[in-house]
Amino acid sequence: MLSPEYLLKALYETLPDPVLIVNEHRVIVAANSAAAEKFGYSIAELTGMEPSALYESIQDAREVGEALYPIRDDIKSLHRRLSLKRKDGSVFPSELTVSRLGSPDGKTVGLVALVRDLSEIYQAQEERLRAEAILNTALASISEGFVVYDDQDRLVLCNDAYREIYSISNPAMKIGATFESIIRYGVERGQYPDAGDTAEEHEAWIARRLERHRNPGAPYVQLVQPNRSLLVEEHVTDDNLHVGVRTDVSVLSEAKNEAERLGLIIENVAQEVYLASITHGKFISANKAARDNLQYSMEEMRELSAADFVVGSTGEEMAALFAPITSGEAKVQIFNTRHRRKDGSTYPCRVRLERMDDLYEPVALAFVEDITERLEIERALKQKEHEFQTLVRNIPDFITRATPDTTLTYVNENYANFVGLTPDDMIGRKFLEFVPEAEQEMLIQHLANFSQERPMRVSEQAMFSSSGEALWYLWSNLMVYEDGKPTELVSVGRDITEVREAQDRIAKQSRELELRNNALEQFSAIVSHDLKAPLRQIRLFADMIAEDVSTGKTEDLATFSGYISKRSEAMEEMTSSLLQYSQLAYQTINPENFQLSEALNLAWNNLAVNVGEAQATLHVESEVTVYADFNLLTQLFQNLFANSLKYRQPGSAVAIKAHARPVQDGLKIDVEDNGIGIAPEQSERIFGVFQRLHADEKLYSGTGIGLALCRRIAESHDGSVYLDTSFRNGARFVVMLPA
Amino acid sequence: MSSEQSDNQIRILLVDDDPAEHILLQRKLKSAEDGCIDLDYVSDIGSAVDVVKAGGVDMIFLDNRLVPNNDFRETAPQLRGAGFIGPIGIISSDISGRYFEQFRDYGVDFKIGKDEIDGTVINFIINEYTQDQLSETCSEDYM
Amino acid sequence: MLVTETVLHLGPELERAVNRMDFFRLFKSLAGSHRFAHFGLSEILAEEQGLNLQHVHALHNFPLAWFDDPKQQVIDSDDPVFVYLQQSSAPCVKDTSENRSAVLTAGGSRSVAIVPLHAATGKRYGLIMVGEARDLDHQSLALLALDAALIFQRYFEVILSLDSISGLSDREIQIVRWTSEGKTSAEIAIILGLSEHTVNSYIAAVLRKLHVVNRAQMVASAIRSGLIT
């Protein structure tokens, strides 16, 4: 049987906590083995020690001592936490409980001190705190949102990231707030874009959310403002705690979207895109363009390898072609080939093959371009090029291209032939070299005047062919500008020799026509003036005769009729002179070569009668040959001689000298006489029609048309005739004829 | 106007190198009513100057083209130079030349074409150039 | 009767007309080109006076014998021609059988063309032309009237309007100067190489321009206005 004392003793002995009994003199009288163990003293040592030695702090020892001593009967228990000291000096935290030890008669005989070593507890606490701190730090530092709701669905804890993620709902996230209240708060404020707009939508969403929260399934993506995608993972623990993790997958979503987009693009792009496994040779994937053009479905494609639709190559040849890719030697390969569609038709294409090792198996990515159209365009271009070349070769114009400094870069055959060189000989040389020297200066000037506003200039140029032929060309020069700088000079030359000649002819004809018109005007003036005067007199005299006859007055009739006759005669002379003038003056000249002396002698002979009367002599000094109209020239000299015969010195024999000699511009012929001469101030007048020279001259005859005709004839030979006013002792006429 | 002559007598000098013109003008003057026209004639400018110097000429009709080729620009000043202050008229078969426009600068009073002259024209000329433009209100003797 | 048929080219001749003689020639030529042998131009003044062909600016080539009184070259105020001119501003051709005026019926004239003319200043002039009986068609009358108006306008510019022009020409100033030095018209004529007639014409023109009546006043006026010193 276990008596209480035994039990008590057993307890005292086995209690792991130190027990010390202290008497009223504050001396330890008993200690259990735990105490000995704990404090490091033996029991014997302890017994008889003062407990204050066991305190770390003297202060504590004193305080306890004061609180307890002197011992009273009604002393209360003391609980204190303080540090105690072992024998070796180390300390440990403890909980000290001191109670009254009473005798059976109720007197306090001592104190019982119970020591509980709090080291472990403290340590455990410390560890616990440290663990908590680490957990909090971890929670605070992770970017994932972390939240725990208790079994009542009230917020227990959440980290900063969670608050930040649901920033709009944050104000509602107070410890103890319900999950529902928090999400309601957020829904109303637009935290969840998917929650809809209307109250009904909101409620529906909230209901779904709560359901999911209570029965979490697989993680799912949630959209929150502002524009973030979150992966929501929720668990309910065995203790019915709701743990939630929120991972921001915006980037991933975006990436996924991007990937989707890219995939769509590739799928729909016009170029054919193929992905093939290098290992198996079969296609993994092909985009729409590829499938459509080849007319296979995706499933069919996956059964095919390139050899199946590449025309004209055997499997070995294909393998050889792909060898660099398959071996890994080359990363990219580009080649042209031909594909056969499902229906058998074929098309030419250009392939770019790229090896890709980054994926889970080596694959080849092929970009294939159907070059049917391109080939067609190239063909058409070649055709056009050919046509152009034909054109350029066949048009007679000259075509050159040159750099802005006139260095030739291209000449067409025609120009080369003209110059007498091959095109290659000409390329590299400046085209100025082929321009006649006389024209070079003008051309340089011409070319200097290009500007972007006026890039085209046209000029007429005399050119000499390799055979020495003189031609006229119209050059159209175009300076091509790029970004404001001249880059090329393109020139086209057109033969306008004929055109120019035609123009010259027309100009000449116009001049002749003008001359004729002028002459006609003069003629009319002469007619109206010089013929009207005598006509008037004739009429008046006739009237006067009629009047006198009617009145019987006859004495003047003879005078009057005499005047009529004279004037009529004069008019006759004038009209025949004018007729002669008009016939000769504008006659087309028929030039020929003859000795001048022939014309001079013939003219003299024509005037034989007058010559005889005037006893005139002619002295000719002329060995020259002229190229002129023989008849007209004879007439010219005849008129000059007649003039000399007419205006002679009365009583002297007429002596005329004709002297011809070549001069710088042509031929100079002097005809001089020893007559009465002509006043210098009349030197121009005398060449007018019907001009009078001399006081005694017969009216209305004057020089008649003789000298006027001389001038006209000389001018129609591009020459001239004039009076030498320096000559005295007669009249000297000078006739100039061109070479 | 010479005060020595009778009121109606007017002496006109014709200067023309063609004597036929003298005859024709004489005839025309006959048809002009003014019977008191005395027509004198010379054929060159030298003689005209002499006649003018001798005095008594009231009016001169000057042919524009005298021998050899002188027109009024040369001949009229000679007449003025000889002291003639009566009216001088240019008569010509052709008065279309531009230089005719300056006839007043050479002391010529009027121009007329030969074929325009008839009796009434002579009348007008005589009336026009012998009337006193200032007689009624004006006097020479004011000094 | 020698009828001349010179037709002066209106354009250039108009420009070259510088004195009364030239305008006489022009009107005469105009008359002649429409086969009228005689013409008369004068200002239409007050009724009582009739058409005075001795008016300072009148031009005519009617033979003096045609006038009742050669010293009074007038068409009477009761002559239908004058009456017409008084009352109408449109040209017309009339038969002269109604006329009592000898002027218009003498010489065998049987028709008279009447052209009222107006100077820009408002002065009215009348041009009459007489000739043998002829029917002048509408167009010819129109041409006649137009040419008459053109000549008259020029006449106005060159001769008539001098009355209102205030500036003196160089020649006129020259003559005023000589006059102020006591030279007579004859003397000035010799000095300047002009006819006495011309000198008197200039003086007459100056008198009109300066609105004076004799040489003394002319000189005085010229000195006053600084034209001569």
Side-chain angles (χ1 to χ4, degrees), chain A residues 600 604 617-621 641 644 654-660 669-674 727 731-733:
Chain A
L600 289 168
W604 191 250
T617 53
L618 175 68
H619 181 71
V620 173
E621 265 176 48
F641 296 153
S644 298
V654 180
I656 302 177
K657 271 199 275 207
H659 179 210
I669 307 155
D670 293 334
V671 176
E672 60 187 58
D673 64 35
N674 61 349
F727 186 75
R732 180 199 274 161
F733 285 94

Side-chain angles (χ1 to χ4, degrees), chain C residues 6-222:
Chain C
T6 313
V7 175
L8 301 176
H9 293 284
L10 213 48
E13 277 298 328
L14 256 188
E15 274 176 37
R16 291 190 212 149
V18 295
N19 57 16
R20 277 166 49 85
M21 178 82 216
D22 290 331
F23 287 101
F24 174 91
R25 292 167 52 227
L26 284 167
F27 280 119
K28 180 163 184 300
S29 165
L30 177 66
S33 65
H34 290 274
R35 315 258 201 82
F36 290 102
H38 299 94
F39 76 93
L41 171 85
S42 188
E43 188 175 352
I44 302 167
L45 293 166
E47 265 187 50
E48 313 79 51
Q49 300 172 30
L51 194 68
N52 178 15
L53 292 168
Q54 282 176 307
H55 181 272
V56 62
H57 293 312
L59 293 169
H60 75 90
N61 72 342
F62 295 121
L64 291 178
W66 289 7
F67 293 101
D68 296 334
D69 178 1
K71 294 239 183 339
Q72 293 273 65
Q73 298 159 23
V74 171
I75 289 173
D76 294 326
S77 51
D78 52 6
D79 189 298
V81 167
F82 183 71
V83 170
Y84 182 85
L85 278 172
Q86 284 258 290
Q87 296 171 343
S88 176
S89 60
C92 74
V93 177
K94 283 191 178 310
D95 203 310
T96 53
S97 53
E98 301 160 22
N99 283 87
R100 292 171 292 126
S101 167
V103 174
L104 304 171
T105 52
S109 311
R110 274 200 276 272
S111 71
V112 55
I114 310 172
V115 182
L117 296 163
H118 308 85
T121 51
K123 288 203 177 178
R124 295 193 70 230
Y125 272 68
L127 173 70
I128 56 178
M129 298 184 182
V130 288
E132 290 163 6
R134 256 187 84 235
D135 239 336
L136 209 58
D137 67 22
H138 194 82
Q139 191 161 358
S140 307
L141 179 60
L143 280 172
L144 173 66
L146 177 61
D147 286 345
L150 290 171
I151 299 170
F152 180 69
Q153 169 59 23
R154 186 85 183 133
Y155 187 49
F156 174 77
E157 285 168 12
V158 176
I159 310 282
L160 302 182
S161 64
L162 290 182
D163 290 356
S164 47
I165 288 175
S166 49
L168 297 189
S169 71
D170 291 339
R171 199 54 121 182
E172 287 163 345
I173 293 175
Q174 223 178 4
I175 287 170
V176 171
R177 285 217 178 96
W178 284 117
T179 308
S180 73
E181 301 198 12
K183 301 293 180 200
T184 63
S185 297
E187 288 166 335
I188 298 174
I190 293 186
I191 293 168
L192 298 181
L194 306 171
S195 69
E196 190 183 350
H197 182 269
T198 298
V199 173
N200 284 341
S201 304
Y202 281 120
I203 293 176
V206 173
L207 293 182
R208 283 201 300 275
K209 285 190 186 182
L210 298 182
H211 304 294
V212 293
V213 298
N214 60 32
R215 285 186 180 77
Q217 289 183 7
M218 175 179 84
V219 171
S221 172

Side-chain angles (χ1 to χ4, degrees), chain A residues 529 536-537 540-541 544 547-548 560 563 567 682 685 691-692 695 699-700, chain B residues 17-21 23-24 27-28 30 65 67-69 93-94 114-115:
Chain A
H529 184 257
R536 174 186 146 263
Q537 290 193 346
L540 290 175
F541 279 120
M544 282 157 68
E547 262 185 41
D548 281 4
F560 296 166
Y563 274 115
R567 298 298 179 253
Q682 311 283 14
R685 261 192 175 143
Q691 293 293 315
R692 282 179 300 175
L699 280 175
Y700 304 113
Chain B
D17 53 6
D18 185 354
E21 292 298 334
I23 299 172
L24 294 170
R27 193 60 164 236
K28 286 187 192 152
K30 281 210 189 89
R65 228 177 56 176
V67 164
N69 269 311
S93 33
D94 175 24
K114 277 182 184 168
D115 37 6

Side-chain angles (χ1 to χ4, degrees), chain A residues 152 255 296 609 729:
Chain A
Q152 302 296 315
Y296 291 112
V609 173
N729 306 324

Side-chain angles (χ1 to χ4, degrees), chain A residues 252-285:
Chain A
L252 282 180
S253 279
E254 227 171 87
K256 181 155 151 261
N257 291 341
E258 284 296 333
E260 276 175 9
R261 257 207 299 275
L262 199 59
L264 260 169
I265 289 170
I266 290 177
E267 172 66 10
N268 291 313
V269 80
Q271 192 169 43
E272 298 169 30
V273 183
Y274 302 80
L275 193 65
S277 159
I278 289 183
T279 337
H280 307 299
K282 296 224 189 302
F283 287 100
I284 299 170
S285 173

